[in-house]
Amino acid sequence: MNIERCLCIFPSDLGWMGLIVATDNAVAQVERLTFGHANQTEVAATLRAVDRSLRITNYRDTEIWVWVRVLQAYSAGKAANLSMIPIRNVGFTTFEIAVRHACQKIPRGEVRTYGELAQMVGHLGAARAVGNVMRKNPTPLLVPCHRVVGRQGLGNFSAPQGVAMKRRLLEMEATANRLSERVAAAPSDVRSVASV
């Protein structure tokens, strides 16, 4: 198995982002995502800590460019289909994969507790184990761990800026949902203007 990895770095409204993209048999998938960084150097250092051999790639005119544009749209608070970006789920246990998939099903603008997510995967009482899976999540936003909260508060967030970034993401998604609901409820002549 010959897996090629590349590093993609780009700006967004949530700070600088970076992806490690793994390509295996011509199939590209995101292996790691980081965001909220002050500059490109921070992103490169964070991702090269995982693999020092990573080289920055020119991703324009590739499918990765589409993923970058989707992530930039999301970070600007726009409706964006993050589920179209393929994730490399290798090296995870069956439980971890189940938790990651359940987390991906949490709708934008909604939250679930660690306990509720544990229940969703059939492991009632495994809230702490779910928290560990979310803490180690290598693809935040794509596996939206920010939508998983504690029973008595937001819980933690391992991305740069920590809980402040988690709060920002949740507020951004709630605002986007309210705007979408207002546009959908408006008469059709108003909807056409609002969507321009």
Side-chain angles (χ1 to χ4, degrees):
M1 182 162 33
N2 186 19
I3 299 172
E4 293 180 24
R5 288 180 177 79
C6 67
L7 176 60
C8 306
I9 299 174
F10 51 96
S12 81
D13 288 359
L14 293 172
W16 282 86
M17 287 192 183
L19 303 173
I20 294 178
V21 177
T23 304
D24 185 10
N25 292 324
V27 176
Q29 298 174 313
V30 174
E31 189 170 274
R32 191 167 290 273
L33 181 152
T34 188
F35 68 100
H37 296 279
N39 54 53
Q40 299 173 37
T41 305
E42 267 185 32
V43 175
T46 298
L47 294 176
R48 285 192 174 128
V50 175
D51 183 346
R52 301 221 47 82
S53 69
L54 287 170
R55 298 287 173 250
I56 297 175
T57 187
N58 179 1
Y59 49 81
R60 295 188 194 274
D61 301 323
T62 69
E63 64 188 319
I64 298 168
W65 177 243
V66 175
W67 305 346
V68 167
R69 301 300 294 157
V70 168
L71 285 161
Q72 287 174 325
Y74 170 83
S75 73
K78 298 176 182 167
N81 181 9
L82 296 179
S83 66
M84 61 83 60
I85 301 173
I87 302 169
R88 184 169 163 79
N89 274 319
V90 174
F92 297 103
T93 66
T94 304
F95 173 75
E96 290 169 333
I97 290 172
V99 169
R100 290 169 57 78
H101 285 305
C103 182
Q104 287 180 287
K105 293 177 183 172
I106 302 170
R108 182 181 75 177
E110 295 185 21
V111 295
R112 301 291 183 273
T113 66
Y114 296 104
E116 288 170 331
L117 199 56
Q119 189 173 3
M120 287 171 64
V121 298
H123 289 272
L124 191 63
R128 186 164 292 177
V130 165
N132 285 330
V133 174
M134 296 293 94
R135 182 179 52 80
K136 297 186 299 184
N137 179 14
T139 52
L141 304 182
L142 303 181
V143 175
C145 52
H146 62 279
R147 296 179 189 155
V148 185
V149 298
R151 202 175 48 211
Q152 299 177 346
L154 286 180
N156 294 318
F157 196 52
S158 57
Q161 303 169 38
V163 176
M165 179 61 82
K166 185 173 191 171
R167 182 176 287 109
R168 179 178 173 190
L169 292 170
L170 293 173
E171 289 171 356
M172 178 184 76
E173 290 180 348
T175 300
N177 274 5
R178 284 192 298 275
L179 178 60
S180 296
E181 289 165 5
R182 280 193 300 227
V183 170
S188 61
D189 58 328
V190 175
R191 272 197 305 262
S192 62
V193 172
S195 62
V196 173

